[in-house]
Amino acid sequence: MTVLVVALLRQKRAPGQPLDLHQPFEDRAGRIVLGLGVATTVFVLALSIISYAGQRTVFAKGANPLTLKIIGHQWWWEVRYEADSPHLSFVTANEIRVPVGRSVNVELESADVIHSFWVPSLTGKMDLVTGQQNAMGLTWRAS
């Protein structure tokens, strides 16, 4: 601010004479700045709308999600398909079947040692520590 004030005070102009501006250049520069500002605003809004739509799809809660409880044992994985009624629930080992297009809630825990649950085509890696429960949600979409 100090440098600006000093520059304005030291500027030599004839009394009553305005600053020497080239009006056509100033008009053109103003239109360019305004156009780029509008283009930036439209671009950011478009990206925000696309991001919002993508996140709604990724994080959508299904009406009837499948619940998997996966328990890591020292040499194998216990997979429990849980349902509201007991006759629809069942337990398998080392194998996961996920329906296409349906939301799945995965509850993870370890029975004895530290495990890493990782299915690269479904989701990222999650570490399991004995006594700690982790959860993740996913939806498999056919491509």
Side-chain angles (χ1 to χ4, degrees):
M1 289 300 290
T2 305
V3 172
L4 178 63
V5 170
V6 170
L8 288 173
L9 292 177
R10 293 190 72 204
Q11 183 178 13
K12 295 180 182 175
R13 282 185 276 145
Q17 188 178 25
L19 294 175
D20 185 22
L21 300 176
H22 186 29
Q23 195 60 38
F25 173 77
E26 294 295 326
D27 291 341
R28 186 177 53 221
R31 285 191 301 270
I32 290 172
V33 169
L34 179 65
L36 290 174
V38 169
T40 301
T41 302
V42 168
F43 188 70
V44 168
L45 283 174
L47 288 178
S48 297
I49 291 169
I50 291 169
S51 174
Y52 176 74
Q55 287 181 359
R56 278 190 47 183
T57 302
V58 170
F59 297 114
K61 301 283 186 194
N64 188 16
L66 174 65
T67 301
L68 293 179
K69 185 169 187 173
I70 300 175
I71 303 168
H73 295 277
Q74 189 169 2
W75 303 109
W76 61 287
W77 294 94
E78 178 182 349
V79 181
R80 296 176 180 260
Y81 291 82
E82 298 183 345
D84 293 336
S85 56
H87 74 282
L88 296 175
S89 299
F90 60 95
V91 179
T92 65
N94 299 328
E95 199 169 300
I96 299 173
R97 304 289 176 144
V98 179
V100 175
R102 185 171 171 196
S103 296
V104 179
N105 294 331
V106 181
E107 299 170 359
L108 302 162
E109 65 181 61
S110 173
D112 42 26
V113 297
I114 296 173
H115 294 278
S116 291
F117 178 79
W118 186 32
V119 183
S121 60
L122 292 179
T123 187
K125 184 174 90 163
M126 175 123 1
D127 292 327
L128 309 173
V129 179
T130 305
Q132 176 182 342
Q133 291 186 344
N134 294 332
M136 68 173 64
L138 56 96
T139 302
W140 176 260
R141 303 221 186 267
S143 49

